Each structure stands twice: as C-alpha cells, then as structure tokens.
Amino acid sequence: MARLIDQSSQGATKLVGFPAQWNALFELMGADWADSSRPGDFIPLISDLEPDDLKATIERARREGRLRILVEAVAALDPLVADVLHRLDRRGTRALTSVDGKIHFTGWQSYGRPEVLDFEARVLAGASPSSATSILLPCARGRPYDGSKTHRRLDKGLGASVASADRIVISSLGVIPSAFWSDPVVLAYDSGVPDIYRVLRLMRAFFEKVHYEVVIDCLEFEPYRDCLQIIRREGLIGEIRPGPYRKVKKLPRP
C-alpha cells in the first residue's frame, strides 16, 4: 500500500474507491484519488461523516496546518493506516516542510514527521564533544532551555565547577545538545506520549559517537535515567555522577 501511494503521488496511478479513512493520508502524501467508499467496519468520526463533510474537514485541517495531526488521529483508529504511515515516513519521499506552529507528539506515529527525522539526523551529524564531561538535563516548558526556571535552578545547584561541561537535554524529542536549543523543531514540540525505546536508540547512537568520560545526571524522568544506566553498562559513557537533588518522575505502574 505504501508503494501504491508513492506511485500515485508521482502521477503513475489513481486511487479509486478506497475506504474513507485513507482520504486524509492520501491528501497528506499528495496522492491522486477519487470516489472513496464507506469504511467496512465502524470507525469513530470517519463513519459518521458524509463524504462532503469529511472533505471539508480535511481541507480545513490543511488550511490550519493541522493535516498531519488529522492523519495521526485516523492512524490511531486503524492499524493498517498506522502501518502504512510509518512505512511512508521511513521512505522519506515526502518533501520536508518548514516548522509552522506546534509539533504535537500525541502517539507513536508523531515521531515519523519529516522535520523530526531530519532533526535526529542533524543532531547525530553535528555530535562533537567540547569537553570530557556532559550534563544531562530534563526538558522544560520554557524555551530555549537556558531561560527556563528548571535549568536555572539546576545550574545554581551544579555550581561553577562544571561551567565548561557540555549541556544536553534528554526529552521525548530525543538528544538535544545546547547548540540545538534554539532550533525551530525544539521550540515547537509539545509532548504527551514519550517513546522510551526510541529515546534509548537515539542515546545509543549519540553517545557512541561522543563517548563522555563523565556524565552528570540531572534527569527527572526515571525511564530516561534507566536509559542512561543502560548505555553506561554498554560502555558508551564512563562514570555517572548524580546532579543536584530533584524530584524524579516515574511512569505509572503497568
């Protein structure tokens, strides 16, 4: 299906008669389609909309710069749409657009956005330590991070002895060195659902490249601290030292 949508977006074929839950994805990917049909099984929202109403909803989402969010919402309702969206994201055939407004991480599919994948690649390509020591810091609502209350509090507790250490935020977006704190993607993202395994993979790739001798742990989210311990056991970093006291946030029990 991903290949078929790719072909349609390049003008090779027209997609006719597909169930209506595909319409928003077709529009997002620039596919040529027509005459959608009713979903075979009931899909909340989609099944309740008449074709003209669904078309109007998709057009409104496009005008408001929220078509990607609509596609992700539909993907949460249909596992096949979710799988195809994931495959299309990884194909990288859709042109990267500028960051406009908020980037919402509301589910697993959110992390496949072209601008997010591009950010991951840029961070890894620019990974170059300026110190043997790094400080891992939590995400904060205030952006850029160095202006946030959380980071000012941590800086006060750390003191001047580590002023030359590399500062790196670990968040749902991934690994964010201080050189990227004013990046449009960093300023725009808002997370509700972290993908812990994805963060672990990004940490592995980054710290394998920079390999700090000392990492000062100021993280406040326990799963990210677990990731840090994993990469230490794997030999990707040296010693872990605790940062100033902070309240650690745990995931709810399964």
Side-chain angles (χ1 to χ4, degrees):
M1 188 65 189
R3 187 182 300 111
L4 190 62
I5 293 174
D6 259 350
Q7 292 171 350
S8 179
S9 66
Q10 296 165 17
T13 187
K14 189 166 187 173
L15 308 176
V16 179
F18 280 81
Q21 65 265 34
W22 292 96
N23 293 3
L25 179 58
F26 290 165
E27 286 292 325
L28 180 69
M29 296 300 171
D32 185 13
W33 65 278
D35 302 329
S36 63
S37 60
R38 291 279 186 181
D41 296 321
F42 176 78
I43 296 180
L45 303 178
I46 302 299
S47 296
D48 290 332
L49 292 174
E50 295 297 327
D52 287 345
D53 294 330
L54 179 56
K55 182 179 180 180
T57 297
I58 293 172
E59 288 303 316
R60 173 69 186 275
R62 184 196 298 282
R63 291 196 304 271
E64 298 292 335
R66 293 294 184 265
L67 183 54
R68 172 75 194 206
I69 292 178
L70 176 59
V71 171
E72 291 173 13
V74 176
L77 302 171
D78 187 307
L80 184 55
V81 174
D83 179 68
V84 172
L85 174 61
H86 174 77
R87 292 172 184 270
L88 287 167
D89 281 338
R90 269 60 189 178
R91 282 172 174 260
T93 54
R94 187 157 53 96
L96 177 66
T97 57
S98 60
V99 177
D100 182 20
K102 288 288 186 182
I103 299 174
H104 296 281
F105 295 150
T106 56
W108 183 61
Q109 294 83 13
S110 302
Y111 297 101
R113 288 168 172 261
E115 57 268 37
V116 173
L117 297 179
D118 174 73
F119 178 80
E120 294 173 5
R122 288 189 287 116
V123 168
L124 189 58
S128 179
S130 59
S131 170
T133 300
S134 67
I135 303 171
L136 298 196
L137 297 160
C139 180
R141 288 187 178 276
R143 316 271 174 84
Y145 292 121
D146 47 9
S148 75
K149 293 181 179 179
T150 299
H151 284 213
R152 289 201 298 268
R153 172 177 56 81
L154 289 170
D155 282 346
K156 184 177 180 180
L158 287 164
S161 62
V162 290
S164 62
D166 291 348
R167 281 168 158 73
I168 301 170
V169 167
I170 304 296
S171 81
S172 56
L173 179 59
V175 180
I176 314 175
S178 58
F180 289 85
W181 286 2
S182 294
D183 190 275
V185 174
V186 175
L187 298 179
Y189 87 93
D190 188 9
S191 175
V193 181
D195 184 339
I196 307 302
Y197 182 64
R198 171 182 166 275
V199 172
L200 173 59
R201 290 177 56 248
L202 294 174
M203 289 177 67
R204 279 173 169 160
F206 181 86
F207 288 101
E208 183 178 27
K209 190 172 181 180
V210 296
H211 202 95
Y212 289 103
E213 295 176 11
V214 176
V215 173
I216 300 175
D217 176 13
C218 296
L219 299 174
E220 296 182 346
F221 189 39
E222 189 173 44
Y224 296 161
R225 300 181 70 204
D226 290 343
C227 292
L228 183 60
Q229 291 294 335
I230 290 171
I231 65 171
R232 182 192 63 79
R233 290 195 297 269
E234 293 174 344
L236 303 182
I237 58 173
E239 176 188 0
I240 298 177
R241 296 178 185 172
Y245 173 78
R246 69 279 188 204
K247 185 178 180 180
V248 175
K249 303 173 185 177
K250 299 183 179 181
L251 278 176
R253 289 186 177 182

